[in-house]
C-alpha cells in the first residue's frame, strides 16, 4: 500500500461488510472477524503497513484505516447482536409451550377391591361404634388358641391348619401366623384392663394351609367384639341386622343358625338374605334364598376371664367376617385366587 487512497480501504470494508451481512451463524461471524480484524487479519495488516509509509502520509492514512476498522467492528457487533437475538427467537419458538392445550391426565391407580371393601365395612362398623384395632400377624399359641378356649388337644386346632414358624417357643408357646383375627380380641381386652364398654373391630390378614377356588393360604377377616353389662343375643342380632342393611340395602335380612365355635357360647352361623335374588332363590344361593356371611356368638366365659373380665358381671358378643367371601359375593368373583393375581383386567373394573 504505497499510496494511501480511499480506494483500498473502501474495497476492503465493502468486502468485509458483505461477508458480515452473509454470516448467519455465530461461527461464520467469528471467522469473518478473524479474517479481517484478527491478529493477522487483512485490515490489521493494512493498518500495520501504514507505519511503513513516509511520515507525512501516515496521519491521513492512519485516519482512514482507523475509520475502516471502526466500521467493520461496528458492523460485526451489530451482526452479533442480531444473530444472538435470532438464536434466542428460534429457541423460544422451538421451546414454545401452548398453555391453552388441554392437559394430559396421568393414569391413576386405585385401591384394591379388597381394600375398598375393608374400608367400607370398617366405616359401617365404625358408625355402629366399633373402633378399629390392629394386632400382630405373628401370634403365640396362647393368643391364637388357648386364650380363646382352644386347648392343645382341641379338634379346632387341626381345622385351623396353621403355619408354624421355625422359632424357639416363648412362654406363650410356639409362634405361628395367626389363623384368625380373634387373638386381637384378647389383646384388646387385656389392654382395656376391665374398662367398659368394649367395642372394637379388628381387620387384617390371616393365614391357613388351604388353597383352592374358595380358599387362599392368606385371606382377610374383620373381627367384631362388644363387651358390656347385660349384652346378649338381641344385641348381636340387632348389630348384625343393621350391618347387613348398611351393606346390602334396607331390604337385607339376616338369620342365625346354631353352630359351634370354642370361643363363643352359644354360637351361630349368620346368613344374609340372598343379595342377588332377594331371597327368592337363585344359582348363587343354591335356591335357598340365603347366603352365609359370618360366624358369631356370645363371648365364652373362659375368654372373658382370660381377657381379665369377670364373666359373672359382664357379657359380650363377637363376630367374624370373611372379607374375600363378601367380595366374591358382591362382585360375583368365582375364584378367590383372582383377587390376588394382580391382573389389571380384573382390577381395572373397580
Ligand atoms: N374366628 C372365627 C374363625 O376364624 C370367626 C368368628 C369370630 C366366629 C368371632 C365367631 C366369633 O373361624
Amino acid at each position: 500500500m504505497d499510496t494511501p487512497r480511499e480506494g483500498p480501504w473502501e474495497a476492503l470494508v465493502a468486502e468485509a461488510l458483505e461477508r458480515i451481512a452473509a454470516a448467519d451463524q455465530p461461527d461464520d461471524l467469528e471467522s469473518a472477524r478473524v479474517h479481517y480484524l484478527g491478529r493477522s487479519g487483512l485490515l490489521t495488516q493494512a493498518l500495520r503497513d501504514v507505519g511503513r509509509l513516509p511520515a507525512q502520509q501516515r496521519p491521513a492514512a492512519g485516519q482512514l484505516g482507523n475509520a475502516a476498522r471502526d466500521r467493520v467492528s461496528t458492523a460485526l457487533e451489530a451482526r452479533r447482536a442480531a444473530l444472538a437475538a435470532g438464536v434466542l427467537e428460534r429457541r423460544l419458538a422451538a421451546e414454545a409451550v401452548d398453555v391453552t392445550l388441554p392437559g394430559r391426565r396421568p393414569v391413576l391407580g386405585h385401591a384394591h377391591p379388597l381394600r375398598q371393601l375393608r374400608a367400607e365395612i370398617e366405616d359401617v362398623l365404625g358408625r355402629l361404634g366399633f373402633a378399629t384395632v390392629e394386632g400382630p400377624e405373628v401370634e403365640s399359641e396362647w393368643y391364637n388358641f388357648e386364650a380363646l378356649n382352644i386347648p392343645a388337644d382341641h379338634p379346632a386346632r387341626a381345622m385351623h391348619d396353621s403355619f408354624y414358624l421355625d422359632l424357639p417357643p416363648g412362654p406363650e408357646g410356639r409362634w405361628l401366623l395367626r389363623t384368625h383375627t380373634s387373638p386381637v380380641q384378647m389383646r384388646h381386652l387385656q389392654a382395656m384392663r376391665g374398662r367398659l364398654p368394649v367395642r372394637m373391630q379388628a381387620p387384617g390378614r390371616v393365614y391357613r394351609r388351604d388353597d383352592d377356588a374358595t380358599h387362599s393360604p392368606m385371606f382377610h377377616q374383620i373381627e367384631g367384639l362388644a363387651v358390656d353389662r347385660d349384652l346378649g343375643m338381641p344385641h348381636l342380632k340387632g348389630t348384625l341386622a343393621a350391618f347387613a342393611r348398611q351393606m346390602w340395602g334396607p331390604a337385607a335380612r339376616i338369620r342365625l343358625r346354631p353352630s359351634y365355635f370354642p370361643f363363643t357360647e352359644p354360637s351361630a352361623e349368620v346368613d344374609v338374605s340372598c343379595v342377588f335374588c332377594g331371597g327368592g332363590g337363585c344359582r348363587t344361593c343354591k335356591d335357598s334364598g340365603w347366603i352365609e356371611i359370618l360366624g358369631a356368638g356370645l363371648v365364652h366365659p373362659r375368654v372373658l376371664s382370660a381377657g381379665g373380665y369377670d364373666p359373672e358381671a359382664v357379657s359380650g358378643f363377637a363376630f367374624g367376617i370373611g372379607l374375600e367371601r363378601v367380595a366374591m359375593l358382591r362382585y360375583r368373583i368365582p375364584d378367590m385366587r383372582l383377587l390376588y393375581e394382580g391382573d389389571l383386567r380384573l382390577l381395572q373394573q373397580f
Side-chain angles (χ1 to χ4, degrees):
M1 199 178 295
D2 311 318
T3 16
R5 285 168 291 111
E6 280 198 7
W9 296 111
E10 271 313 306
L12 214 46
V13 167
E15 183 193 316
L17 294 185
E18 204 173 304
R19 181 151 167 196
I20 288 166
D24 51 11
Q25 298 289 331
D27 283 356
D28 296 347
L29 194 61
E30 175 60 9
S31 58
R33 186 191 67 79
V34 171
H35 189 70
Y36 295 101
L37 296 182
R39 212 196 294 224
S40 45
L42 296 179
L43 265 166
T44 313
Q45 260 163 12
L47 276 163
R48 224 177 270 136
D49 291 343
V50 171
R52 290 205 291 272
L53 289 173
Q56 77 274 24
Q57 288 176 16
R58 261 184 245 154
Q63 243 173 10
L64 286 172
N66 284 335
R69 189 191 52 201
D70 290 349
R71 284 179 66 197
V72 171
S73 64
T74 304
L76 274 170
E77 197 39 57
R79 186 68 187 147
R80 198 194 323 275
L83 280 185
V87 166
L88 183 61
E89 241 160 67
R90 274 197 300 278
R91 221 180 109 189
L92 287 176
E95 294 174 6
V97 173
D98 183 351
V99 294
T100 66
L101 284 175
R104 252 176 279 163
R105 233 173 244 287
V107 182
L108 283 185
H110 58 71
H112 188 277
L114 287 174
R115 269 273 160 197
Q116 294 180 27
L117 195 59
R118 168 178 158 173
E120 186 182 333
I121 294 176
E122 260 191 272
D123 188 49
V124 169
L125 290 177
R127 277 183 276 129
L128 289 170
F130 293 81
T132 298
V133 176
E134 289 187 291
E137 289 177 28
V138 171
E139 268 297 4
S140 65
E141 286 182 291
W142 192 82
Y143 278 104
N144 197 81
F145 293 127
E146 253 99 23
L148 297 165
N149 196 31
I150 314 176
D153 56 359
H154 199 285
R157 289 245 183 157
M159 272 160 51
H160 289 221
D161 276 330
S162 316
F163 291 107
Y164 282 93
L165 292 154
D166 208 357
L167 286 174
E172 293 154 4
R174 287 180 291 168
W175 300 99
L176 69 156
L177 297 178
R178 68 182 178 192
T179 58
H180 50 177
T181 42
S182 303
V184 186
Q185 288 190 20
M186 187 50 53
R187 292 182 175 277
H188 186 63
L189 285 177
Q190 290 180 335
M192 287 290 282
R193 300 175 166 277
R195 275 170 291 155
L196 293 174
V198 174
R199 227 178 286 147
M200 67 110 187
Q201 54 170 317
R205 280 191 278 266
V206 299
Y207 303 83
R208 292 183 198 177
R209 290 176 183 277
D210 251 340
D211 199 2
D212 60 39
T214 54
H215 297 89
S216 153
M218 187 282 294
F219 59 106
H220 299 77
Q221 290 186 337
I222 297 187
E223 185 93 359
L225 170 72
V227 176
D228 208 341
R229 273 178 247 284
D230 298 323
L231 283 186
M233 283 311 260
H235 304 95
L236 170 62
K237 222 181 152 179
T239 301
L240 294 178
F243 172 73
R245 284 192 299 270
Q246 291 280 321
M247 290 296 296
W248 292 287
R253 287 161 295 128
I254 58 158
R255 80 174 177 189
L256 273 60
R257 282 179 292 111
S259 183
Y260 173 78
F261 297 106
F263 31 87
T264 47
E265 181 57 37
S267 303
E269 307 271 10
V270 181
D271 299 338
V272 64
S273 50
C274 179
V275 295
F276 299 113
C277 62
C282 68
R283 235 179 42 198
T284 309
C285 63
K286 300 198 180 78
D287 288 322
S288 71
W290 296 94
I291 294 176
E292 185 192 324
I293 51 158
L294 51 86
L298 298 187
V299 183
H300 195 287
R302 287 208 191 113
V303 174
L304 289 171
S305 297
Y309 282 76
D310 176 3
E312 299 297 329
V314 302
S315 54
F317 63 82
F319 54 91
I321 306 168
L323 196 56
E324 280 76 1
R325 185 157 173 74
V326 177
M328 288 169 77
L329 280 174
R330 167 168 293 192
Y331 306 121
R332 290 179 180 268
I333 296 174
D335 189 324
M336 190 184 289
R337 289 168 293 202
L338 285 170
L339 286 167
Y340 305 115
E341 281 168 359
D343 189 330
L344 290 178
R345 289 171 302 180
L346 178 102
L347 297 179
Q348 280 170 346
Q349 295 178 42
F350 297 90

